[in-house]
Amino acid sequence: MKDISVKALAKINLGLDVVRKREDGYHEIRMVMQTIHLFDRLEISKNTSGEITMETNLSFLPTNENNLVYKAAKLLQDEFAIKDGMHVWLHKYIPVAAGMAGGSTDAAAVLYGMNQIFDLGLTREELMERGVKIGADVPYCIMRGTALAEGIGEKLSKLPPMVKCPVLIAKPQISVSTKFVYENLKLGSDMVHPDIDRLVADIREKDLYKIAADMGNVLETVTIPAYPVIADIKDHMMEHGAVNAMMSGSGPTVFGLFDKEATAVEAYEAMKASGLAKQVYLTSIYNNARK
């Protein structure tokens, strides 16, 4: 195989709880991850140059070792002493710095694609073991589907597929630093934590309304006071029929779950007209795990 086209799917967090701050500075988390049908596309081809090169449709993205795509390619090239070069054309559609694992899912796609092109014979689990060296979300992005993530995000337990429903995505003009969010998170006794175990039970029951009721993200306690537009977007989605709306990851992207396609379409049009968000997408839950 000389080239391959790979979809890199975005994720949302149906629930995100921070349990504690560890002595090494990392935060212990428990979160429910879910793939959605919004994706970047990577065209990966091998050549005889011996070098890793990449280009993208977004001029502000780095195309060198500062991009996770490059880091993922270099990781396998070094480990397997691959003499061939490779070129990656990254078609970027997932909002950048948005709490949707855009960089991580691109890196996961490169690991998957290189495994195919260079016939490395790595299992999904072996790819996931390598992915964690690039970033905590990369193993999940290799696995996809519905999962409980623990530790720093690298301990994954597969869950039954999430109930299918329309998902509205809205990212405001701002970008939020994950570092800023975690540095300003105050894990006091008065913090309200989402019940992740109950959320998992709701997913097993395939009850959209219970899932919506039990969604929660503790990182909103930092981002919403700093960026009130996030709350404005959530309120707008709820006013237009979302069964619930919440920030994904460390933000600033907000997603809303809907029980009817027609309601979701109307909410999508209203969000576009509102001027609250720079990027607005109407998509759906994606449950196909990567083989």
Side-chain angles (χ1 to χ4, degrees), residues 58-90:
L58 298 182
S59 59
F60 59 85
L61 286 182
T63 54
N64 54 19
E65 62 277 0
N66 295 319
N67 193 303
L68 294 186
V69 164
Y70 188 100
K71 288 181 180 177
K74 189 83 171 91
L75 182 81
L76 292 186
Q77 188 186 50
D78 288 350
E79 180 183 349
F80 291 92
I82 296 169
K83 297 289 187 282
D84 286 322
M86 58 174 289
H87 183 74
V88 182
W89 221 117
L90 170 59

Side-chain angles (χ1 to χ4, degrees), residues 13-15 215-217 220 234 244-248 253-255:
N13 298 97
L14 297 171
M215 288 183 349
N217 181 348
E220 288 185 343
K234 287 178 61 176
N244 204 353
M246 191 174 82
M247 184 181 78
S248 183
T253 300
V254 174
F255 69 91

